[in-house]
Amino acid sequence: MLRDTKNIKLYFSLIVLLSCIGYISASACDFNVKLKQVLKNQGFHRNITYGIVFNSDEDQCWLYKDCVVGLDQTLPHGVYANPDELSTLRRLKKLNAVPKNRINTELPAEHSYPTTTYITERIKDCKVYMWLPVHARYHLAMPGGGMARNTIGPPKLYLRCPDQRLDMCGKTGAPVTFLCNGGSKDKCSWKELPYTLLTDTLVWPIPVGNMEHYHAISVGTALVIAVGSLYLIKAVHEHKLVTMSFNPYSSLRRER
Amino acid sequence: MHELLEFINLPLPYHLVAGLFIRLSLIIYGDFHDKTYDLPYTDIDYSVFTDAARHVLHGQSPYKRQTYRYSPLLSYLLVPNMILGKDFGKILFSIFDIFITIAVKKLVEHQLGPKSIATNIPMYCSFLWLYNPLSIGISTRGNADSVSCFTIILSLLFLQTDVVKGLKKYALSGFLLGLSIHLRLYPLVYSFPMYLSLGVTKIPRKITMKEGLLILWPNLKQLTLAMSCIATLFILTYGMWELYGYEFLYETYLYHASRIDIRHNFSVLFYYSYLSMNQVTFDIVKNVTNLFKAVILFLLSIKYGADPRTLPFAMFCQTVVIVAFNSVMTSQYFVWFLSLLPLVAHSFKMSRRKAMLLALIWMTAQGAWLFYAYLLEFKGREVFFLIWLKGVVFFCSNIFVLVQLLGSYTIGYGFGVGQVSHLKTQ
């Protein structure tokens, strides 16, 4: 009887302990992340900006102290991040972004593929502001011309913290391994976080040439070049070379 | 006004210092600008050269840097960018500008004869490069074109003057021409008029095939020039091929020959190239363009290349034609002919008003194109047709201005009367 009472106490203590751990970890993993993804500027060279807020309660900001956010942004075939530009920005410590794939910056959209870029940034006061310079590729001309649409989806969001605090979170999925940052080739373990996207999917319209112009432009270009060439050939052919004897002293004499 | 005239007539070394000072100031400003503004002052090519030099320093191929399409020599030249400082290359290009100025002065002195030393005309001609906003901008933004411009002008200097005497000068001229071709490919067209300038001074309009071949038959000077040029080009190209293989050949030369750039540029062929991508197997428009270009280049060589006095004019006209007819044209290409302009500017017999008008026509046509290019690139407006129209206008303005210059070209004109007022004051 006494033994049963002891066991019940032990079970009760265990239940209380587990409940406490569960409560702590549950509150620690209640990430409640909100992300605003915006396309800035106009034309062929723009910036995607990301405003990320972790929890609205400032008391819980200590949870993200020294944590790093990693964004995995896939860009459609009509858009690219210039690897050399990113490399310069990394060297100048203006941005930590690195392309996952080899990117040919000169190909038109139809000859290219979607690419992925990683961007990392440290969390400060429960907030992170990130950006990525992106460029539009030319699209092949279409009948009627107009605008081609590049749709840029939301990024995947990862979190990496220096200690083991994320391991306590049951809600997060299996860890993913990729670069710790753009500055080295070391790899780190990241945890993907769900988030609420506060903005619409980005749509980037890009002007395209009008295929209906093709014949007019071909004939017009050939004609302009032919007429220009013949005009030049005629001028060269008819030009009579004039020679003067350079003598500033003779003109000086004339002046006097 | 009097102070300005006094400054203009200061001896060349003062101007060289002033020219270098302007350039160094802009290099310093460029650093500030790049740190402050999103749109950088430094040319994208400068980071390409620097990245390529970084690869070379680490024992790798410069072609590891995407879009590096130059000779590896250029990346070797910029290795000190990593050791001495990132602005080394820009300073080096600015120093090349100073060398070009000195070479231009010497060449114009030679063209106008010993009497020109009493005037400031050779110095004024050299100002067209030293104080040219485009040449200043190109070098201080980190574009390497001043290097090839310098090798071309130095090649001409050795060929036409007696800075070095005997057959050695032809060997040196050939070496520099070979180096220029290795660096930039387009100076290849100069080889024919330069070769001709060492033979008979006038080629008759009607000649038989046999007479033509006899004219082309090389004398010792021509042979020295040609062999030196070919040997330099071969040794450099073979050496680089040994080091970097097919990648060097493709990126440096073959890419430019087969280049299809559909993105907007000054060329009259831009919109056609864009629309015809994936459309044609045999490109009749581009082939006809190349045929016209070849005929004009040949004509210019025959007409102005044979006479050493008109050789710089032949080279100037050829460069304008190469740039105007190219399927890709950017503003850095203008430096190719602007570097030769100081050698011929004193020979244009025209009023100041006409000269200003021609400059205005050329710049306005360019400005109009730039406006629509801005609307497309930075505002995302669909203005392809208007860009094509402005490309046509710019092509026509290039041809028109060239024809006007051709009509006013007078050997020995020397800006009219020389420096009369200056002589008076002396």
Side-chain angles (χ1 to χ4, degrees):
Chain A
M1 188 69 184
L2 189 69
R3 197 177 165 190
D4 284 349
T5 313
K6 270 186 179 173
N7 278 344
I8 288 166
K9 275 184 181 170
L10 187 66
Y11 289 143
F12 183 73
S13 306
L14 270 172
I15 287 165
V16 170
L17 183 69
L18 287 173
S19 303
C20 287
I21 292 171
Y23 174 76
I24 292 164
S25 61
S27 68
C29 298
D30 185 13
F31 290 106
N32 187 21
V33 186
K34 292 186 179 72
L35 188 146
K36 267 188 189 174
Q37 187 189 23
V38 181
L39 198 53
K40 293 272 175 81
N41 312 331
Q42 291 173 297
F44 277 69
H45 314 286
R46 303 179 74 170
N47 287 336
I48 305 176
T49 61
Y50 307 89
I52 308 168
V53 180
F54 290 82
N55 288 334
S56 48
D57 187 356
E58 284 189 10
D59 293 344
Q60 292 185 341
C61 275
W62 63 271
L63 279 170
Y64 305 102
K65 194 172 182 295
D66 297 329
C67 289
V68 177
V69 169
L71 290 185
D72 178 312
Q73 177 67 66
T74 299
L75 298 170
H77 64 123
V79 178
Y80 67 93
N82 189 328
D84 301 310
E85 185 184 13
L86 297 185
S87 162
T88 306
L89 289 168
R90 282 200 305 275
R91 208 168 37 251
L92 298 174
K93 301 201 184 304
K94 285 186 175 176
L95 174 68
N96 224 338
V98 61
K100 185 179 173 185
N101 324 81
R102 186 176 163 77
I103 298 169
N104 186 329
T105 58
E106 293 169 322
L107 291 176
E110 288 75 4
H111 295 182
S112 189
Y113 301 97
T115 53
T116 302
T117 303
Y118 294 128
I119 320 151
T120 56
E121 184 64 68
R122 200 167 288 279
I123 301 171
K124 279 179 197 156
D125 304 326
C126 270
K127 286 175 196 161
V128 186
Y129 177 80
M130 298 161 93
W131 62 287
L132 180 68
V134 282
H135 309 272
R137 294 179 189 276
Y138 260 65
H139 286 68
L140 292 184
M142 303 186 297
M147 305 294 247
R149 283 161 61 93
N150 291 304
T151 307
I152 302 171
K156 283 183 184 168
L157 192 148
Y158 297 92
L159 193 64
R160 178 168 65 83
C161 295
D163 49 30
Q164 303 298 310
R165 81 186 79 143
L166 283 181
D167 294 346
M168 293 160 70
C169 302
K171 283 182 184 175
T172 52
V176 180
T177 305
F178 62 83
L179 292 176
C180 301
N181 56 51
S184 71
K185 287 183 178 173
D186 299 336
K187 295 208 170 172
C188 290
S189 180
W190 295 77
K191 292 218 171 185
E192 187 176 352
L193 298 189
Y195 64 86
T196 310
L197 186 66
L198 300 177
T199 45
D200 293 332
T201 305
L202 303 181
V203 177
W204 184 355
I206 283 296
V208 292
N210 187 347
M211 267 318 284
E212 284 162 15
H213 290 160
Y214 177 65
H215 293 293
I217 295 294
S218 305
V219 173
T221 306
L223 213 61
V224 166
I225 290 170
V227 172
S229 302
L230 293 172
Y231 176 56
L232 189 55
I233 290 169
K234 185 172 169 280
V236 174
H237 185 71
E238 289 176 354
H239 181 223
K240 296 267 185 292
L241 209 55
V242 183
T243 307
M244 285 173 83
S245 173
F246 177 74
N247 189 353
Y249 300 104
S250 66
S251 44
L252 188 64
R253 277 198 295 275
R254 265 204 312 275
E255 285 280 317
R256 280 168 180 165
Chain B
M1 193 65 189
H2 180 71
E3 283 83 6
L4 182 69
L5 275 174
E6 265 190 3
F7 172 75
I8 289 171
N9 287 319
L10 280 173
L12 186 67
Y14 289 92
H15 289 284
L16 296 181
V17 171
L20 195 60
F21 177 76
I22 293 169
R23 283 165 174 80
L24 292 177
S25 308
L26 278 169
I27 291 169
I28 294 165
Y29 167 75
D31 284 345
F32 161 77
H33 184 107
D34 291 351
K35 280 179 197 154
T36 315
Y37 301 103
D38 284 343
L39 199 64
Y41 177 82
T42 302
D43 195 294
I44 180 73
D45 275 353
Y46 192 66
S47 58
V48 174
F49 302 148
T50 309
D51 288 346
R54 188 174 292 112
H55 290 311
V56 167
L57 186 67
H58 295 140
Q60 296 163 331
S61 161
Y63 300 102
K64 243 189 119 188
R65 172 54 160 97
Q66 213 183 92
T67 72
Y68 183 76
R69 305 234 158 77
Y70 306 88
S71 161
L73 290 182
L74 204 56
S75 60
Y76 300 164
L77 212 59
L78 293 201
V79 164
N81 267 16
M82 260 69 60
I83 302 160
L84 301 176
K86 65 182 171 54
D87 287 332
F88 169 83
K90 291 180 183 179
I91 297 169
L92 185 73
F93 300 152
S94 301
I95 291 170
F96 273 112
D97 276 352
I98 302 300
F99 289 158
I100 290 172
T101 310
I102 298 167
V104 163
K105 184 174 176 277
K106 286 229 170 282
L107 264 165
V108 177
E109 276 171 4
H110 171 80
Q111 285 171 356
L112 294 175
K115 288 168 190 165
S116 70
I117 295 167
T119 75
N120 278 338
I121 292 173
M123 192 169 76
Y124 295 161
C125 289
S126 69
F127 290 172
L128 288 173
W129 180 260
L130 186 68
Y131 295 126
N132 189 326
L134 206 68
S135 73
I136 293 172
I138 290 276
S139 294
T140 56
R141 292 183 67 220
N143 198 289
D145 273 303
S146 60
V147 182
S148 51
C149 288
F150 173 67
T151 52
I152 291 162
I153 289 184
L154 202 61
S155 169
L156 199 57
L157 183 78
F158 284 125
L159 186 77
Q160 297 216 300
T161 67
D162 284 331
V163 176
V164 176
K165 291 194 169 85
L167 279 180
K168 247 190 278 179
K169 70 178 199 174
Y170 305 110
L172 270 171
S173 177
F175 162 76
L176 287 160
L177 181 63
L179 178 62
S180 313
I181 299 168
H182 171 79
L183 288 174
R184 234 31 187 114
L185 207 60
Y186 80 90
L188 183 68
V189 295
Y190 303 146
S191 53
F192 187 46
M194 282 172 88
Y195 176 88
L196 287 179
S197 73
L198 298 176
V200 292
T201 52
K202 191 165 170 57
I203 299 171
R205 285 198 176 187
K206 285 180 184 170
I207 50 167
T208 61
M209 179 73 93
K210 194 182 164 191
E211 286 166 338
L213 285 173
L214 276 174
I215 286 171
L216 289 178
W217 190 255
N219 57 34
L220 194 57
K221 296 174 192 171
Q222 288 173 315
L223 203 64
T224 312
L225 177 82
M227 293 318 290
S228 165
C229 175
I230 292 167
T232 308
L233 186 60
F234 177 77
I235 291 167
L236 286 173
T237 309
Y238 183 76
M240 294 304 155
W241 180 74
E242 273 286 311
L243 283 172
Y244 304 111
Y246 178 73
E247 200 178 22
F248 152 70
L249 281 183
Y250 178 78
E251 296 290 354
T252 311
Y253 303 123
L254 301 177
Y255 168 81
H256 296 285
S258 61
R259 183 176 183 181
I260 302 172
D261 196 341
I262 61 166
R263 290 172 294 184
H264 57 286
N265 61 75
F266 282 110
S267 174
V268 65
L269 286 155
F270 144 67
Y271 196 30
Y272 169 75
S273 302
Y274 176 28
L275 294 179
S276 64
M277 196 183 188
N278 294 352
Q279 290 293 313
V280 284
T281 44
F282 179 75
D283 196 329
I284 190 157
V285 175
K286 282 194 184 162
N287 280 301
V288 167
T289 305
N290 287 335
L291 184 69
F292 273 123
K293 185 162 70 176
V295 169
I296 296 168
L297 291 176
F298 181 74
L299 261 179
L300 290 168
S301 297
I302 298 288
K303 177 113 185 187
Y304 305 109
D307 188 340
R309 294 174 305 166
T310 54
L311 174 65
F313 185 62
M315 291 165 70
F316 169 76
C317 294
Q318 282 189 320
T319 320
V320 176
V321 169
I322 289 170
V323 174
F325 283 72
N326 209 16
S327 59
V328 178
M329 192 204 299
T330 61
S331 55
Q332 80 178 72
Y333 293 7
F334 304 151
V335 173
W336 297 357
F337 57 77
L338 286 177
S339 65
L340 294 167
L341 180 67
L343 301 179
V344 292
H346 59 87
S347 304
F348 297 135
K349 192 179 175 187
M350 64 171 76
S351 65
R352 218 174 283 174
R353 200 174 156 187
K354 189 179 175 185
M356 295 292 279
L357 184 72
L358 290 180
L360 195 70
I361 288 171
W362 190 71
M363 285 192 286
T364 312
Q366 211 182 123
W369 183 94
L370 283 169
F371 173 71
Y372 287 101
Y374 170 79
L375 288 184
L376 172 70
E377 191 166 350
F378 294 101
K379 294 288 166 190
R381 296 260 301 273
E382 196 214 326
V383 285
F384 287 109
F385 187 74
L386 292 168
I387 289 183
W388 176 73
L389 275 181
K390 299 302 158 194
V392 167
V393 170
F394 189 48
F395 175 81
C396 293
S397 80
N398 274 311
I399 300 295
F400 177 75
V401 171
L402 182 59
V403 168
Q404 295 306 307
L405 295 182
L406 228 140
S408 64
Y409 183 69
T410 307
I411 302 167
Y413 181 63
F415 288 133
V417 286
Q419 186 63 7
V420 178
S421 58
H422 180 60
L423 280 169
K424 272 180 185 169
T425 55
Q426 277 187 335

